[in-house]
Amino acid sequence: MERSQTVTQKFSSFSSSSSSSSRDDKPREIDRSRSLGPVKLEKSYGKKERDTETVTIEEEDEEERQEEEEVEVVVVVNKEEEASSAPEEPPEASFGSISEEVDGFLSFLLSIDDGRDQWPETPAMPESTIKKFLDFVEEELVKYESGKDGASRPANDELVLFNAIDRVAKLTSALSIFSSDTKYNKAMTRASSILRYAMCFLEDEFHSLLEDSKPKKDPGIARPKTKRRPSIGHLHEAIDRCVPPPSEPDLVEFPSTYPPEIIERLRGIAGAVVSAGYATECCQVFTIARRNAFDVALSNLGYEKLGVDDVQKMPWDSLEAKIATWIKVFRQTVEVAFPREHDLCEAVFAGHSAIAYSIFHNFARGVTILLLGFAEAVAMTKRSAEKLFKVLDMYETLRDMVPRIDALLRTESEPDDSSAAHDLTTEVALVRSRLGEAAVAIFCDLETSIKTDMGKNAVPGGAVHPLTRYVMNYLKYACEYKNTMEQVFRDHKNSDAAKGGSDDNHNPFAIQLMEVMELLHTNLESKSKLYRDPALCSIFLMNNGRYVMQKIKGSTEIHQLLGDTWSRKRSSEMRQYHKNYQRETWSRVLACFKDDGLQARGHVAKPVLKERLKSFNAMFEEIHKAQSSWVVSDEQLQSELRVSVSAVIVPAYRSFLGRFSQYLDPGKKSGKYIKFGPEELENYIDELFSGNPSSMVSRKRT
């Protein structure tokens, strides 16, 4: 028996009728709009209007009507009308729309987080949307990781991925609000797994970019210059000549600047990782990579990490070179590397200023402490005079760099002394203080060097003593650091024992300098007594005194420290040495030209005259022989001595001959007594103090 039956649809499944309205065997017309749903010809849930449709239902036996009826549907469709009336298939949802739905769900969860107690039931979760979103992120991560050339990826793709990872992190956190719910917990577990996978991958990518990307070089870097002082051995020599310092090799640049595209990628990765709550791991990777790069740069600059024992045992020549390298490295680190590193941290961790500051501070502190270790080891080495200038160079380097370090580390939020900048500059100040103490101790040891120089061998010819050259050159170079020396002496030398007699008695360094000069003067006077000839003793004191005065005249710093009073006193002493020389040498010669004893009863006593001339000739020849070997290296002093001798002896000799030469027998016999003419005598005087002994007898024969 056949019957008519109405077929209904619910979503994508069929619904069979629970009862029949008739047992007729006649075919029935059934509404087509209710039959297309079960057939799912177009997979649509809308109604369709059709012109013609015939449905024939054959009913089984009445005994089997309780069983499920099979319906055979025969549809006659007008294809043209169906094509025009069928709805379009809805497009597949894009990732952007899915992301918007996820964002909306996140906003909803965050909005109810504070009032969870008001929600007795767990809110519905868009499982399908979340699944599609997580599938997409996981797929993109796999594709991203498998890419061989990360630099070739479009920047926009990376940005989309980083934003997606950030959304995954927020989703993981938001889902935990209702983690007791099975569906929420399942979604949270998967999101958390994808997030961990993303973090591992991004950490590797971050590390690779930092390590493998070659930094750009900045050609516009100012190379610091440092004073170069002669070694202490050269101070004993005549180093009045100018010795140009050897040329310095070009410095290797610190690797602190990456190409802009690399910095942009680093910024994107850092932002994603930090937002996901993995800031600690990100900072560790960045810090280690940058510190490794800095260590390589130090090696390229020739800087070697040395322990205290290594520095203590190192010969001075080697240590001096290490100090010169340290000065260059420290200055370039503070002036070049730190600003670059600061800018790099700010660029990579843009939007996370606290993290950027923390990373840079830790980097700057670690590097500074490393370099300070070498300086402190130098300050602990055994004191010796030759170390003074390098110690002062290191002191000045630390002093000059403190304001730069402070400016880089001090922030507007930390203006007080409790800031990290203050802590690090305090570390620098402590090491600088130790160097200052060492410098004061080394300079004060100069007194000991002068006192213990008690050599018993006189310098030939009364020349400038090596001790004088050493001390004055040492003081000249030390006073080029005048401001620094005054600073370290004020900080580390007790000035309560200031002695009077100087306008600078409030200046501890000036007082120490005067003490050194007095010790030198006393030592030279003691050494002058090694000469048996009093005249040579005066020449020795004049030579050394003139050398001292010339050095002071050539050094504005020494002159300022010693003052005009001290200089006038020494000039007066020089004039006295000159008078002593003339008295000891030429007073006996001038006695030959006196009239006393030459005349008796109105007549000239020829025997006495002849004896006077013979005595003069002998004395002058002896003086010429001796004093022509004496040394007066200062040309002005040499000229002054010769002129002063000629001015006294030649006129007296000419006058004496004019008065008494007529009383000698003419002829060859007169030449026996008058060996020198006035002009010839003056020529011989001009040969004095030349350091070349010569015989007048041999000259006359030639």
Side-chain angles (χ1 to χ4, degrees):
M1 176 184 284
E2 297 181 355
R3 67 177 178 85
S4 300
Q5 180 180 4
T6 301
V7 181
T8 60
Q9 173 197 9
K10 187 175 183 180
F11 295 101
S12 60
S13 62
F14 285 103
S15 175
S16 58
S17 177
S18 59
S19 63
S20 61
S21 59
S22 172
R23 296 176 58 100
D24 293 340
D25 297 331
K26 299 180 180 179
R28 297 184 56 188
E29 298 268 331
I30 298 180
D31 190 345
R32 293 185 67 259
S33 66
R34 302 177 65 87
S35 66
L36 284 179
V39 179
K40 295 198 297 182
L41 293 176
E42 297 297 330
K43 297 182 180 180
S44 173
Y45 303 124
K47 295 182 179 180
K48 303 179 180 60
E49 296 181 356
R50 313 291 286 273
D51 289 344
T52 60
E53 179 179 26
T54 302
V55 180
T56 302
I57 303 176
E58 294 183 357
E59 187 175 335
E60 301 292 338
D61 294 335
E62 291 181 356
E63 293 81 9
E64 299 176 352
R65 68 169 180 256
Q66 298 300 326
E67 299 176 5
E68 184 178 355
E69 300 177 354
E70 297 180 358
V71 181
E72 179 181 354
V73 181
V74 179
V75 182
V76 179
V77 182
N78 188 321
K79 295 183 179 181
E80 294 180 358
E81 291 182 359
E82 181 180 355
S84 61
S85 63
E88 296 181 359
E89 181 180 354
E92 184 179 354
S94 66
F95 178 71
S97 62
I98 294 175
S99 298
E100 290 178 1
E101 292 183 31
V102 172
D103 289 340
F105 180 63
L106 287 174
S107 299
F108 169 71
L109 289 181
L110 293 176
S111 66
I112 68 174
D113 187 22
D114 295 334
R116 287 180 56 187
D117 296 338
Q118 301 177 6
W119 290 80
E121 296 181 0
T122 303
M125 181 182 66
E127 297 179 62
S128 176
T129 300
I130 293 177
K131 180 179 182 303
K132 290 179 181 179
F133 171 72
L134 294 178
D135 287 343
F136 172 84
V137 175
E138 188 172 25
E139 180 181 352
E140 287 301 310
L141 281 172
V142 172
K143 287 173 20 180
Y144 193 99
E145 185 176 15
S146 62
K148 295 182 179 180
D149 186 6
S152 64
R153 302 186 189 99
N156 186 58
D157 288 355
E158 286 193 339
L159 181 60
V160 171
L161 179 61
F162 295 154
N163 290 336
I165 293 173
D166 180 54
R167 198 172 282 109
V168 172
K170 293 178 181 178
L171 182 63
T172 303
S173 176
L175 290 173
S176 65
I177 299 174
F178 297 100
S179 59
S180 58
D181 183 84
T182 303
K183 295 181 179 179
Y184 274 80
N185 187 271
K186 181 179 179 181
M188 182 190 69
T189 301
R190 187 177 180 217
S192 177
S193 176
I194 293 175
L195 181 62
R196 286 194 298 270
Y197 171 69
M199 292 301 103
C200 291
F201 163 67
L202 290 182
E203 179 180 329
D204 292 341
E205 185 75 2
F206 195 63
H207 180 269
S208 297
L209 288 174
L210 289 169
E211 292 287 351
D212 300 338
S213 300
K214 294 183 179 179
K216 294 170 60 179
K217 288 188 177 181
D218 185 355
I221 294 178
R223 293 178 172 82
K225 296 181 179 179
T226 57
K227 302 184 187 78
R228 180 176 176 84
R229 301 294 169 216
S231 64
I232 205 68
H234 288 242
L235 294 176
H236 290 281
E237 303 171 3
I239 58 171
D240 304 301
R241 55 191 173 84
C242 178
V243 180
S247 59
E248 298 177 351
D250 291 340
L251 298 181
V252 180
E253 314 301 352
F254 281 94
S256 299
T257 302
Y258 291 95
E261 61 274 12
I262 297 300
I263 293 179
E264 185 67 25
R265 296 183 65 196
L266 289 171
R267 182 189 298 117
I269 294 175
V273 174
V274 172
S275 298
Y278 288 78
T280 301
E281 292 79 0
C282 182
C283 293
Q284 288 177 347
V285 172
F286 185 87
T287 299
I288 293 173
R290 296 306 303 149
R291 184 59 186 271
N292 289 341
F294 182 83
D295 290 342
V296 172
L298 287 183
S299 178
N300 292 337
L301 284 170
Y303 182 80
E304 181 183 359
K305 297 178 183 179
L306 299 172
V308 176
D309 292 339
D310 298 327
V311 175
Q312 297 283 339
K313 298 175 182 179
M314 188 174 294
W316 170 242
D317 289 344
S318 301
L319 183 57
E320 186 178 21
K322 296 294 183 183
I323 292 174
T325 300
W326 180 90
I327 291 171
K328 296 175 190 176
V329 167
F330 195 89
R331 285 188 176 275
Q332 195 177 8
T333 296
V334 177
E335 294 177 346
V336 179
F338 281 0
R340 284 183 171 187
E341 205 68 28
H342 178 272
D343 293 344
L344 182 63
C345 291
E346 292 288 341
V348 173
F349 295 93
H352 306 280
S353 58
I355 293 177
Y357 177 82
S358 176
I359 290 176
F360 173 69
H361 168 257
N362 292 333
F363 174 85
R365 179 178 178 80
V367 169
T368 303
I369 295 300
L370 168 68
L371 297 176
L372 288 179
F374 176 80
E376 189 169 14
V378 171
M380 295 168 59
T381 58
K382 183 179 179 181
R383 295 195 302 264
S384 58
E386 66 268 17
K387 296 180 181 178
L388 175 64
F389 308 121
K390 287 301 180 184
V391 169
L392 290 174
D393 284 339
M394 297 179 78
Y395 179 94
E396 290 182 344
T397 298
L398 295 180
R399 180 196 63 195
D400 297 344
M401 293 299 104
V402 165
R404 292 177 177 267
I405 296 174
D406 187 76
L408 284 169
L409 292 177
R410 193 175 297 278
T411 63
E412 294 181 0
S413 61
E414 290 188 342
D416 302 328
D417 289 342
S418 60
S419 66
H422 177 74
D423 295 338
L424 187 55
T425 53
T426 299
E427 294 281 352
V428 177
L430 289 173
V431 177
R432 187 186 70 186
S433 177
R434 293 188 180 98
L435 290 170
E437 292 175 358
V440 170
I442 291 172
F443 188 83
C444 291
D445 282 349
L446 185 60
E447 291 186 9
T448 304
S449 300
I450 296 173
K451 290 177 181 178
T452 56
D453 192 322
M454 303 301 293
K456 300 300 182 180
N457 297 323
V459 178
V464 177
H465 198 280
L467 177 65
T468 305
R469 293 185 184 277
Y470 168 76
V471 171
M472 292 312 300
N473 280 288
Y474 194 87
L475 295 180
K476 175 180 178 293
Y477 290 119
C479 288
E480 288 185 8
Y481 296 86
K482 175 177 174 291
N483 294 335
T484 303
M485 291 295 288
E486 288 177 337
Q487 181 179 359
V488 298
F489 267 84
R490 279 194 299 267
D491 294 342
H492 305 289
K493 181 72 172 178
N494 188 355
S495 60
D496 295 338
K499 299 179 181 179
S502 172
D503 295 335
D504 293 328
N505 57 7
H506 64 282
N507 187 333
F509 178 57
I511 295 170
Q512 186 66 32
L513 183 63
M514 290 182 182
E515 290 180 0
V516 170
M517 297 302 298
E518 289 298 327
L519 282 173
L520 177 63
H521 179 70
T522 301
N523 188 291
L524 291 174
E525 285 193 329
S526 175
K527 292 183 184 318
S528 68
K529 296 177 182 179
L530 297 174
Y531 299 98
R532 296 181 179 181
D533 189 336
L536 184 55
C537 172
S538 297
I539 291 294
F540 173 78
L541 292 174
M542 272 192 288
N543 271 325
N544 288 271
R546 176 58 68 92
Y547 186 87
V548 170
M549 295 302 295
Q550 289 298 104
K551 284 294 181 181
I552 294 174
K553 182 179 179 181
S555 173
T556 304
E557 294 82 5
I558 298 181
H559 184 79
Q560 290 175 347
L561 290 166
L562 295 177
D564 293 333
T565 301
W566 188 92
S567 297
R568 285 193 295 269
K569 180 181 178 182
R570 288 294 178 265
S571 297
S572 177
E573 291 175 349
M574 286 289 293
R575 289 192 293 272
Q576 187 60 47
Y577 296 149
H578 194 165
K579 291 178 181 179
N580 292 343
Y581 162 74
Q582 287 190 324
R583 183 180 65 252
E584 295 293 339
T585 300
W586 301 105
S587 59
R588 292 183 298 113
V589 174
L590 290 174
C592 296
F593 304 144
K594 294 181 178 180
D595 293 346
D596 298 343
L598 285 176
Q599 295 182 356
R601 300 177 183 180
H603 298 282
V604 174
K606 290 184 180 181
V608 177
L609 175 60
K610 292 178 181 179
E611 189 62 31
R612 290 278 186 91
L613 289 172
K614 288 173 64 177
S615 296
F616 168 76
N617 292 335
M619 282 190 291
F620 187 78
E621 287 180 355
E622 182 182 353
I623 290 172
H624 179 272
K625 180 180 180 180
Q627 296 193 11
S628 62
S629 65
W630 292 1
V631 178
V632 177
S633 54
D634 184 86
E635 293 182 359
Q636 183 179 354
L637 178 60
Q638 186 186 70
S639 177
E640 290 173 359
L641 286 170
R642 289 170 177 173
V643 169
S644 66
V645 171
S646 295
V648 172
I649 300 301
V650 174
Y653 182 65
R654 181 181 286 110
S655 174
F656 183 79
L657 290 181
R659 295 195 312 272
F660 299 105
S661 62
Q662 57 185 324
Y663 296 103
L664 297 175
D665 296 333
K668 293 183 179 181
K669 289 186 178 182
S670 63
K672 179 180 178 181
Y673 302 104
I674 304 176
K675 291 185 176 182
F676 314 103
E679 292 76 12
E680 192 177 13
L681 187 66
E682 188 171 1
N683 291 335
Y684 282 124
I685 291 174
D686 285 343
E687 293 177 353
L688 302 180
F689 319 118
S690 62
N692 297 315
S694 60
S695 171
M696 285 187 291
V697 175
S698 60
R699 288 184 55 191
K700 284 181 174 293
R701 288 177 179 175
T702 57

